[in-house]
Amino acid sequence: MRISELARRGGVTTATAKYYLREGLVPPGELTSTTQAQYGEQHVARLRLVRALLGPGSLSISQARDVLGVIDDPGDDMFHALGAAQMATYGAVEDVDPSAALALVERSGWRVDPSSPEIFQLARALDALDDAGFTVPDVVMDGYIAAAERIGHAELEAMPAEPSAALRYAVLGSILTEPLLLVLRRLAEQHASAERFGQAPPRTPAAGN
Amino acid sequence: MRISELARRGGVTTATAKYYLREGLVPPGELTSTTQAQYGEQHVARLRLVRALLGPGSLSISQARDVLGVIDDPGDDMFHALGAAQMATYGAVEDVDPSAALALVERSGWRVDPSSPEIFQLARALDALDDAGFTVPDVVMDGYIAAAERIGHAELEAMPAEPSAALRYAVLGSILTEPLLLVLRRLAEQHASAERFGQAPPRTPAAGN
């Protein structure tokens, strides 16, 4: 198919498809003349993936390029590749004191690399709550830890055995399911509230519009 | 204190503090002359909260204004106020088919309002995964549902009894803890991976920089 068809099937404008090609997010098509190229189904799938990473996944162009680079060429060491792909999704971590984050990880009993960027992201998230004057009660923090563990175990259980499929699953699953998890949590809050107070929170007539 | 001191304590520039005042996100100080105002500790706390909503909370100026408006003046109906504040954090929902989202909610057994904006957000999150060609395995989706329930119950358990404190807790807790939850999940994935494969994913020497 031509680029206009590729763009249509990928759900973007032709200008956007050209931009992703120029940025190397979508591999080039097969040249059929000096000014025309043909694209296949794998290009459509890739374009849709790029759109998901940039949209719901909230990655920047360069983060998406790094993540896709690792998925396309993971090398021999899957653990290393996974770390590299996840690191690509984090911005530079400023100077932040990791001690509260390390204490929380110790409390959770998790085996994690204390120098991993997630520790610094966690420190930043805790700082932001402090700054806002919001304290997460202990019982809630324990709930968050237990919930995160439940998720990690379920995800690992379903991980494909083949290394490159596993990598794709781990990286994309982690990035692309974030909006899903956050909205499930909001719905579960609604449900817990309904259970406790015997009604779902009423909505204005504009709800859903 | 003067505005320069307010800005410093709130962790923003004076220009930014003035902007938040102009936008009505921070209430005006007490005028001490026609060109000067004095600010108190409550202004510092509010400025920090605004910064958290706009930064880690990822709200826009107008979303933050709506959320703060509900917290400042919740009216008599806390459920209504909670719904209004949460709705303020969602953009307009485009035309999206809610059937997959409704099926998922039915599978979870949750009592939620089927016309609530979260249903449409859920539908959009599921569509995005479909578009990206990523399937969440059933065992993982069940894990997400169980984890979300665990969170909702823990949060409700710790909810303050006094209505306006409860509203503040519910709204801010829901928005401000999102980055915390997402990074805890990444760490739990690392932990699950270490448990299964006997090692934490190694990181490059650049980790944490």
Side-chain angles (χ1 to χ4, degrees), chain B residues 15-162:
Chain B
T16 300
K18 284 182 178 166
Y19 176 58
Y20 293 164
L21 281 158
R22 256 193 333 269
E23 290 288 333
L25 296 174
V26 175
E30 197 186 330
L31 280 181
T32 51
S33 78
T34 49
T35 57
Q36 278 208 341
Q38 285 290 318
Y39 301 90
E41 289 305 318
Q42 78 280 19
H43 290 92
V44 174
R46 178 62 163 239
L47 183 53
R48 288 183 179 161
L49 174 58
V50 168
R51 208 181 47 157
L53 290 174
L54 299 176
S58 302
L59 298 192
S60 69
I61 293 275
S62 80
Q63 287 173 329
R65 191 193 292 115
D66 289 350
V67 167
L68 291 168
V70 174
I71 288 178
D72 290 342
D73 186 14
D76 290 336
D77 179 349
M78 204 188 84
F79 277 126
H80 183 88
L82 183 57
Q86 292 210 337
M87 233 179 306
T89 68
Y90 291 119
V93 179
E94 315 101 86
D95 196 27
V96 53
D97 176 2
S99 44
L102 290 171
L104 184 57
V105 164
E106 190 170 324
R107 173 169 149 199
S108 72
W110 293 342
R111 283 172 65 191
V112 295
D113 177 348
S115 70
S116 73
E118 286 84 0
I119 294 291
F120 293 85
Q121 292 289 331
L122 177 58
R124 199 194 283 178
L126 293 172
D127 276 0
L129 287 166
D130 262 0
D131 270 3
F134 189 87
T135 306
V136 177
D138 278 351
V139 60
V140 176
M141 193 63 95
D142 289 342
Y144 290 171
I145 290 170
E149 258 179 43
R150 179 81 178 76
I151 290 170
H153 280 293
E155 288 175 331
L156 207 76
E157 202 177 316
M159 189 178 254
E162 194 271 308

Side-chain angles (χ1 to χ4, degrees), chain A residues 45 48-49 51-52 56 77-80 82-87 89-93 104-105 109-113 115-122 124-126 128-137 139-159 168-170 172-204 206-209, chain B residues 45 48-49 51-52 56 77-80 82-87 89-93 104-105 109-113 115-122 124-126 128-137 139-159 168-170 172-204 206-209:
Chain A
R48 288 181 178 162
L49 174 57
R51 210 182 44 157
D77 179 349
M78 204 188 85
F79 277 127
H80 183 88
L82 183 56
Q86 292 210 337
M87 232 178 309
T89 67
Y90 290 119
V93 179
L104 184 57
V105 165
W110 292 342
R111 284 173 63 190
V112 296
D113 179 349
S115 69
S116 72
E118 285 84 359
I119 294 292
F120 292 85
Q121 293 289 332
L122 177 57
R124 201 194 282 177
L126 294 172
L129 288 166
D130 261 1
D131 270 4
F134 189 86
T135 305
V136 177
V139 60
V140 176
M141 192 63 94
D142 289 341
Y144 290 170
I145 290 170
E149 259 179 44
R150 179 81 179 77
I151 290 171
H153 279 293
E155 287 175 330
L156 207 76
E157 203 178 316
M159 188 178 256
R168 190 185 155 87
Y169 167 86
L172 299 182
S174 190
I175 297 167
L176 296 176
T177 58
E178 292 190 344
L180 172 66
L181 277 171
L182 293 180
V183 71
L184 283 176
R185 179 250 194 137
R186 296 265 186 123
L187 284 163
E189 289 171 344
Q190 243 191 70
H191 169 65
S193 174
E195 291 272 282
R196 166 88 155 261
F197 299 107
Q199 62 167 135
R203 302 285 168 160
T204 70
N209 287 334
Chain B
R48 288 183 179 161
L49 174 58
R51 208 181 47 157
D77 179 349
M78 204 188 84
F79 277 126
H80 183 88
L82 183 57
Q86 292 210 337
M87 233 179 306
T89 68
Y90 291 119
V93 179
L104 184 57
V105 164
W110 293 342
R111 283 172 65 191
V112 295
D113 177 348
S115 70
S116 73
E118 286 84 0
I119 294 291
F120 293 85
Q121 292 289 331
L122 177 58
R124 199 194 283 178
L126 293 172
L129 287 166
D130 262 0
D131 270 3
F134 189 87
T135 306
V136 177
V139 60
V140 176
M141 193 63 95
D142 289 342
Y144 290 171
I145 290 170
E149 258 179 43
R150 179 81 178 76
I151 290 170
H153 280 293
E155 288 175 331
L156 207 76
E157 202 177 316
M159 189 178 254
R168 188 184 156 88
Y169 168 87
L172 298 182
S174 190
I175 297 168
L176 295 176
T177 59
E178 292 189 345
L180 172 66
L181 278 170
L182 293 179
V183 71
L184 283 175
R185 180 250 193 137
R186 295 267 187 122
L187 284 164
E189 289 170 345
Q190 244 192 70
H191 169 64
S193 175
E195 292 272 283
R196 167 87 156 263
F197 298 109
Q199 60 164 139
R203 302 287 168 156
T204 70
N209 291 332

